[in-house]
Amino acid sequence: MGLLPVPAEVRAILLDIEGTTTPIAFVQETLFPYIKDNVKEYLRAHWEEEECQRDVRLLRKQAQEDSSLDGAVPIPLESGGGEEELEQLIQAVVDNVHWQMSLDRKTTALKQLQGHMWRAAYATGHIKGEIFEDVVPAIRKWREAGMKIYIYSSGSVEAQKLLFGYSTEGDILELFDGHFDTKIGPKVESESYRRIATSIGCATNNILFLTDVPREANAAEEAETHVAVVIRPGNAGLTDDEKSYYSLISSFTELFLPSST
């Protein structure tokens, strides 16, 4: 697609993960299926631990809030009824997790359990975070040119750090100056980008945001943040209007930093 010059006022590059640094297939075909396939075994192994019990309490609270929704799965209280009751309770949690995931929900309760399960999977080597091969060399070059590099993803900060800490490129957390998730605000709302700018101590037009999602790009632009849309294998296609409107790159190597010459 040719080189895309980075505006001279840009001091920080803000990166999406899924479809930008990391193949969508990794999230859809590795991370999420791991949860579905292993949640029952994980609950059985960790049930007595306080962290697991906190996860279950949060899921139960969410289930109560969801009780009026179609297909919602309740999670009963434990009453000390022995092994059979415990198995039924664990199955209820499993069914609830599967139901939430089938609707692609982003509840804190679900994300918290997923984060703890992924942490165990990364630590034992069952999962390694996939990174596009152009990402690490490009980020190193940007940092040498004086850029600050941040991550902004709908996945929790903990999940982000696991992906980059246990990646196919090794532990690359040192490459990032900070991480943001939806606690700062939704990625499709312009105010989120203003909050990020305030948090890192710059103006919104000092930031370049790389994402594969036009709705996110639009929100960032509304906040006067610079934007480029990333075209990667497996990403959703763009309309002709989107292709002609947005600056597009298919590799991080296509960004040209005038300050680095």
Side-chain angles (χ1 to χ4, degrees), residues 44-223:
R44 282 174 172 162
H46 298 277
W47 189 261
E48 299 299 330
E49 298 169 16
E50 178 54 33
E51 181 178 81
C52 185
Q53 284 299 304
R54 285 198 300 270
D55 292 344
V56 171
R57 286 196 293 270
L58 203 56
L59 285 163
R60 183 181 289 117
K61 182 172 181 287
Q62 184 65 51
Q64 290 167 347
E65 293 173 9
D66 293 339
S67 59
S68 61
L69 299 180
D70 241 7
V73 180
I75 300 174
L77 287 165
E78 193 170 359
S79 63
E83 286 297 317
E84 186 175 344
E85 183 203 56
L86 179 58
E87 276 301 306
Q88 290 173 350
L89 180 52
I90 288 174
Q91 188 60 53
V93 177
V94 171
D95 292 344
N96 179 277
V97 167
H98 286 181
W99 172 72
Q100 288 202 59
M101 292 183 70
S102 74
L103 299 176
D104 194 28
R105 301 190 76 203
K106 312 287 188 188
T107 64
T108 299
L110 178 63
K111 289 202 299 185
Q112 181 170 295
L113 175 67
Q114 287 173 330
H116 293 153
M117 287 186 63
W118 286 327
R119 183 182 64 199
Y122 280 115
T124 55
H126 284 97
I127 292 177
K128 282 188 181 294
E130 290 186 32
I131 311 292
F132 286 113
E133 63 181 15
D134 57 275
V135 169
V136 170
I139 292 177
R140 291 194 192 283
K141 189 174 180 181
W142 300 341
R143 290 179 64 86
E144 287 169 7
M147 286 288 172
K148 299 287 189 181
I149 312 297
Y150 298 89
I151 296 292
Y152 182 28
S153 173
S154 57
S156 68
V157 167
E158 181 181 21
Q160 296 172 29
K161 289 182 175 179
L162 288 169
L163 191 155
F164 293 116
Y166 296 92
S167 85
T168 49
E169 303 292 326
D171 182 351
I172 57 171
L173 282 172
E174 66 177 13
L175 297 180
F176 305 108
D177 295 282
H179 298 257
F180 298 96
D181 57 22
T182 50
K183 287 179 181 174
I184 201 89
K187 296 174 74 181
V188 294
E189 292 184 5
S190 57
E191 186 58 33
S192 304
Y193 300 88
R194 297 187 186 97
R195 292 190 193 113
I196 287 173
T198 299
S199 175
I200 64 180
C202 68
T204 52
N205 70 346
N206 297 141
I207 298 172
L208 170 64
F209 178 46
L210 304 185
T211 179
D212 63 311
V213 181
R215 285 183 68 210
E216 296 174 2
N218 186 55
E221 277 201 335
E222 286 179 1

Side-chain angles (χ1 to χ4, degrees), residues 4 11 15 18 110 196:
L4 176 67
R11 297 288 178 267
L15 303 173
E18 186 179 353
L110 178 63
I196 287 173

